Amino acid sequence: MNLIRYPWKKTALNRLILSFICILLPIYVLSMIIYNWGIRTLQEEISKSMASQVSQYASDLEKEFSRIQALQYDCLTDDNLNALAAIPGSMNDIEKVQRILNLQTRLNAIKNSSVYIQEVHAYIPSVQKDISATSVSTLDKEEFDRFLSVPISSDAQVFKVNGSLNMVAAYPYLLPSSKREPIVILAIELSAGKLRNALDGMRNSPEEGLLFDTTPITISTNPDAAFNEAIAARIHHDPAASNARSVKLDGHRYLTVHTASPFFDGTLIKYVPEKAVFQPLQKFRSWFVLLAAVSLAIILFYSLYVYKYIHKPLDRLVKAFRKVEFGDVEVQIAHSNQDEFQYIYRRFNAMLGNLKSLIDQVYKQQILMQKAELKQLQSQINPHFLYNSFFILNTMARLGDYEQLERFTNQLGEYFQFVTRSSADEVPLAKEASHAKVYAEIQGMRFYNRVDVDFEELPAGWGHVMVPRLILQPLIENAFEHGLERKAANGLLGIRFEKKDDLLLIRVEDNGDEIDDGTIETLNRLLDSEEPTETTGLLNIHQRIRLKFGPPSGLRFERNERGGLTVTVTIHWDERG
């Protein structure tokens, strides 16, 4: 439709776009720019400061432990240590004791030289002694071998032995490929508690945390081992990334910086919650509050504007559509403003007028078609059945079976009364089942001693369900004609009733063998097809059931366990109405 033909002053769509572009969009863009700039600048400055601090902390620790290492290597040249390790056989017991005491004095001096030293051990295989700063014990061969396996030639100077941090030196200095054992190993055990106290002293605020990860030993100011493990894993996950990054743990974000220390073979990590970092942004709070208040006022004004010019017309249109959904095609809606809604309302009203006309035409055509098909079905049933009934009456009269003759004529009367007298297209299920049962009993007399009929009673509570007329009797007739008519004996016909959730299932079963699997498949495909085709009696039943109850109602064919055909009538029925 060409819009030039409708000279609207302002369209609703134009007003919506103009309001958004001119009012809301600049405000929120400016807000985001200011906020992101502040966050980014603060994060960069804090990250640089933290990175500088962590680097300085790591450097100070390495200097301290380098000093301790120098004392350790100097101790390897101690005369008492070398005498005990190299020439123990040249000394008597008193001299050995004196040398050990002198060595302990030297080891104790090393121990007291730094708060980070827990203990100093000299392992001397020649005298089978483990001499520490405070005690002398017999050399533990397994413990000595563990220290012997330390890669002394590696870059790292601090190693994990016996679950603690140690600085290890051996004499003579051996290559890893050498099979010769050293004559002495000097091990300085470091204090994890003192290291933790040192890390705690490096914090600038209570929110900050430091983590010294020398796997498998982790020293941290945070006692939560799971948290320490998680944050270390996030840092080690991408070692090539920047040493300053933001990580998210347990729903909280942290700014982290780290530096690697080859001396300790570990990583020093410092982290601080972002919410603590961004406290300097509080000075911008008043600006943001003002901006939020202005934005809220604009949004309220905009909302009232949208409600009046867009929401109310749309709501009126939706309510009109809902009335149409419930079958009210008389609804008409009007709109005074000259905009898109006025055009939509006019087209809606015109559409309902056309729809009403089409409904009347289609409904009348559908009713006429159903009645024509029903009359045709009745005319197909009556002559065929009437001929067989006359033959049965003739046989009973000729044989003088007056009791059966009376019963048969009563049943025949009930049958034709149902077929011919009632013009209703729908009947209660109880009447439809009663008619089908009469028909089955009549056919049972016709096929006496050849076919047994088992017609179950209709379950209570089903009788009032309104169903299309003549949907069961043609199925029974089909079972006799195509499945049981040629049975010389032992023919079976069963009519079963079953309820599954909101589905009523009526099954007509026989043990005939006239129909093959290909024919059954063709019948089901014909029922499922939406293409126009010739309407047979069974297809007529299927269509009328579907028209009344909708999917998944209708007919379905399948072979039963007796080898015959089962036709299942499915009725979608909600007991709640």
Side-chain angles (χ1 to χ4, degrees), residues 157-191:
Q157 304 301 316
V158 179
F159 307 95
K160 280 72 71 175
V161 183
N162 297 331
S164 60
L165 296 176
N166 291 267
M167 299 177 66
V168 184
Y171 182 82
Y173 305 104
L174 300 178
L175 296 174
S177 58
S178 175
K179 297 182 179 179
R180 180 183 173 189
E181 289 188 359
I183 61 175
V184 62
I185 291 179
L186 190 62
I188 298 178
E189 181 183 352
L190 304 179
S191 172

Side-chain angles (χ1 to χ4, degrees), residues 81-251:
L81 178 62
N82 289 328
L84 291 170
I87 52 174
S90 64
M91 297 178 291
N92 56 37
D93 292 342
I94 295 176
E95 290 176 335
K96 289 181 181 179
V97 170
Q98 185 61 41
R99 295 277 187 180
I100 290 173
L101 291 175
N102 293 337
L103 178 60
Q104 280 187 302
T105 301
R106 181 70 179 270
L107 298 179
N108 190 58
I110 296 174
K111 176 182 178 182
N112 294 329
S113 67
S114 176
V115 295
Y116 299 116
I117 299 177
Q118 180 75 24
E119 186 59 272
V120 184
H121 292 269
Y123 298 95
I124 307 175
S126 60
V127 294
Q128 291 294 301
K129 296 295 184 181
D130 171 10
I131 302 173
S132 71
T134 57
S135 65
V136 178
S137 60
T138 303
L139 179 68
D140 186 337
K141 179 61 176 172
E142 292 184 358
E143 185 174 1
F144 181 81
D145 290 340
R146 282 194 290 271
F147 280 101
L148 194 62
S149 64
V150 170
I152 298 175
S153 62
S154 67
D155 294 334
Q157 304 301 316
V158 179
F159 307 95
K160 280 72 71 175
V161 183
N162 297 331
S164 60
L165 296 176
N166 291 267
M167 299 177 66
V168 184
Y171 182 82
Y173 305 104
L174 300 178
L175 296 174
S177 58
S178 175
K179 297 182 179 179
R180 180 183 173 189
E181 289 188 359
I183 61 175
V184 62
I185 291 179
L186 190 62
I188 298 178
E189 181 183 352
L190 304 179
S191 172
K194 296 297 183 180
L195 282 171
R196 186 177 296 106
N197 292 339
L199 294 180
D200 192 63
M202 297 176 186
R203 295 193 298 170
N204 297 322
S205 64
E207 294 84 5
E208 289 185 349
L210 282 97
L211 174 67
F212 196 23
D213 182 27
T214 58
T215 309
I217 296 176
T218 299
I219 302 172
S220 174
T221 58
N222 189 340
D224 189 348
F227 176 84
N228 296 331
E229 182 180 351
I231 200 167
R234 294 293 298 273
I235 297 299
H236 297 315
H237 176 70
D238 188 9
S242 171
N243 65 339
R245 67 183 76 172
S246 176
V247 300
K248 186 176 182 180
L249 292 174
D250 300 329

Side-chain angles (χ1 to χ4, degrees), residues 13 30 42 60 62 97 99 107 127 140 227 229 237 251 269 291 313 357 436 495 509-511:
L13 180 60
L30 180 61
L42 184 60
D60 291 345
E62 289 184 354
V97 170
R99 295 277 187 180
L107 298 179
V127 294
D140 186 337
F227 176 84
E229 182 180 351
H237 176 70
I269 304 169
L291 182 62
S357 177
I495 294 84
E509 306 172 343
D510 64 66
N511 65 341

Side-chain angles (χ1 to χ4, degrees), residues 307-323:
Y307 177 79
K308 180 178 179 180
Y309 291 101
I310 298 177
H311 177 75
K312 288 183 69 176
L314 280 177
D315 184 66
R316 192 179 301 119
L317 184 61
V318 169
K319 289 180 179 178
F321 271 111
R322 287 178 178 171
K323 290 181 179 180

